[in-house]
Amino acid sequence: MRRVVRGAVTVAAVVGLGAGLGACAVSGGPGSAGSGGAPAQVRAVADTEGLSGVPVRVKGAVVVVGEKDAPHTVKVYEDARCPFCKRFEEGGARALVGPVADGDVKVEYTIASFLDRNLGGAGSERAANALRASVDAGKFPEFHAALFANQPEDESDDVFTNAFLLRIADRVEGLRGPAFDRAVRDGSHEAWVRDAMQAFREDGMRGTPTVLIDGHKAGGGEDAMYGEASFAGVLRKAGIGS
């Protein structure tokens, strides 16, 4: 299922083949955030070594993970509060780790924040700000994985407070420090967060996760995005991986 933009409310609809299958989407009007608090326990991520040491940089409003001259580009559009993005990151996205580490693919992340308007609160914007700060700290892949691992079960719960984001960062070795903590608490990258949301709109995106492989929407059917093996098959059809 995919959350799509319809008038002033978020609705669910099945979409055709391609990226954004079963996803969250922009609403025409503001919602009201849930009152659920941050989880008592912060979940660790066991296997984040695959992309350790891979180049990460900011290019305009996107975060690029991988070698600059990688022959293939995968564009990923996400919102930190989107549960379907969590499914993608813990499923299909794992098929990208090898190709990125091998220098065959670079991934360009556009971090949207429309779910704050849909659902109320500011968790998506705060999370996007913290993700941007993690680039400067050299820990974007690790923090990105940890953030989605600690996403609330109900996306209407606005749990991504600055305090909770820093608790998640505690699980990423070497991330916490004066510069990162200050950037999170002060919202130092608010302008970049707005630019990323504007880039999402200008690219014509209406939902997350949306994935483009070398400029083309990923295909493969309703479940292809959310399984490592199935998405690896999608990548192979695009000439990525063996």
Side-chain angles (χ1 to χ4, degrees):
M1 299 295 290
R2 173 178 178 140
R3 301 280 174 87
V4 295
V5 187
R6 293 286 174 81
V9 296
T10 306
V11 299
V14 177
V15 298
L17 299 182
L21 299 167
C24 301
V26 188
S27 164
S32 178
S35 59
Q41 299 293 326
V42 178
R43 292 184 289 275
V45 181
D47 49 353
T48 59
E49 297 299 319
L51 295 179
S52 179
V54 170
V56 180
R57 61 195 180 280
V58 174
K59 184 178 74 172
V62 305
V63 176
V64 184
V65 178
E67 299 292 343
K68 186 179 296 186
D69 59 353
H72 298 283
T73 300
V74 174
K75 288 180 172 287
V76 177
Y77 297 83
E78 294 180 324
D79 186 305
R81 293 174 71 178
C82 172
F84 297 102
C85 295
K86 175 183 172 74
R87 285 184 62 195
F88 172 68
E89 286 300 329
E90 295 181 349
R94 296 179 61 81
L96 288 166
V97 173
V100 171
D102 292 341
D104 195 32
V105 172
K106 61 179 178 289
V107 180
E108 297 184 352
Y109 287 97
T110 300
I111 310 297
S113 49
F114 61 83
L115 282 175
D116 287 347
R117 178 172 174 80
N118 285 23
L119 304 170
S124 292
E125 290 185 349
R126 287 190 292 258
N129 174 71
L131 284 165
R132 172 62 183 83
S134 73
V135 177
D136 294 340
K139 294 291 181 177
F140 175 83
E142 296 91 339
F143 183 63
H144 180 256
L147 188 146
F148 278 105
N150 285 279
Q151 187 189 77
E153 291 185 6
D154 184 348
E155 70 267 32
S156 68
D157 289 342
D158 191 27
V159 303
F160 286 137
T161 63
N162 290 336
F164 186 51
L165 290 165
L166 291 174
R167 286 177 59 200
I168 295 172
D170 280 331
R171 291 288 190 165
V172 178
E173 184 178 357
L175 177 54
R176 291 290 301 271
F180 175 81
D181 289 8
R182 183 169 56 251
V184 171
R185 293 192 176 107
D186 295 349
S188 299
H189 300 292
E190 287 178 354
W192 182 86
V193 172
R194 290 193 296 271
D195 289 345
M197 187 61 221
Q198 184 61 27
F200 177 85
R201 294 191 188 99
E202 290 178 354
D203 286 353
M205 298 298 111
R206 294 179 60 83
T208 56
T210 296
V211 179
L212 305 180
I213 303 174
D214 292 331
H216 302 284
K217 283 188 176 182
E222 175 71 19
D223 296 324
M225 295 256 301
Y226 301 118
E228 182 176 357
S230 58
F231 193 64
V234 173
L235 293 172
R236 283 194 297 272
K237 289 181 180 178
I240 297 170
S242 56

